[in-house]
Amino acid sequence: HDAEWAMVYSPFPPYEVLHTRALDFPSLARIRRFAAFWDLYGNSGNFVGSLPLLWNGAAAQPEPGVSPFHSFLEFSDALHTRGVRTSGIALVRQYELLAEYLCQRDPAASDAVRVCLAEDYRRPGRRDVPPFLQPPKGSLSPEPVVPTRNLPRRQARHLGTG
């Protein structure tokens, strides 16, 4: 189907599709960035409680007509516009980037955003909280959330219990 779909591939491994008749190069590059950022944020299990803030806002109610996909795509585009690479981002920097984006989008929700991100950061048992995530006093539980089910660590992170 290469000729029929006007498929153009990179000449170097992993021989990615560069463009097709239906998708131009910028669109495919945008999709690849989305996928890479989704791996960092969505598939990592590190942002179980805070990722829904992207599509729901701090009020935990979805914005009318905005899908989680489009909300994350906007976040991905914003990271790209800032020059953030899709790999090699330290965990603390990932939290910082999400906090900045969410607080800039809704400044009135900045305390709620910091609380949610700090709880996600502490979920796997970390006792520290980066300075930019310091929430108002008394808004965090005194100890990190401990898994209640005996699950492998990675699965527990995705369920929000580890």
Side-chain angles (χ1 to χ4, degrees):
H1 301 291
D2 288 352
E4 178 184 346
W5 286 96
M7 305 283 280
V8 175
Y9 301 93
S10 168
F12 307 104
Y15 309 108
E16 294 177 300
V17 175
L18 297 178
H19 67 83
T20 70
R21 184 179 70 201
L23 289 168
D24 60 4
F25 180 79
S27 297
L28 281 170
R30 188 178 187 205
I31 291 167
R32 277 193 287 278
R33 283 192 305 272
F34 175 95
F37 285 128
W38 181 254
D39 277 344
L40 287 174
Y41 285 92
N43 289 341
S44 68
N46 291 322
F47 301 91
V48 172
S50 48
L51 261 186
L53 295 177
L54 273 172
W55 45 88
N56 294 336
Q61 296 185 13
E63 297 176 27
V66 178
S67 72
F69 172 84
H70 284 98
S71 296
F72 195 84
L73 184 60
E74 287 176 7
F75 175 58
S76 171
D77 289 344
L79 292 177
H80 175 66
T81 300
R82 290 183 61 183
V84 176
R85 296 188 180 267
T86 57
S87 63
I89 306 172
L91 183 64
V92 171
R93 181 69 176 141
Q94 291 174 36
Y95 278 89
E96 184 178 28
L97 290 166
L98 184 56
E100 288 172 359
Y101 179 80
L102 291 171
C103 290
Q104 179 183 8
R105 194 176 76 175
D106 186 0
S110 63
D111 286 346
V113 165
R114 287 196 317 263
V115 167
C116 192
L117 282 165
E119 287 177 355
D120 274 352
Y121 186 82
R122 293 179 61 196
R123 182 170 284 113
R126 295 180 193 96
R127 298 196 184 281
D128 65 317
V129 175
F132 61 89
L133 289 181
Q134 292 296 325
K137 292 203 183 274
S139 58
L140 272 183
S141 56
E143 290 297 319
V145 177
V146 178
T148 57
R149 295 170 35 191
N150 192 15
L151 294 172
R153 189 171 145 230
R154 183 164 170 83
Q155 288 178 355
R157 277 199 328 242
H158 284 281
L159 295 174
T161 60

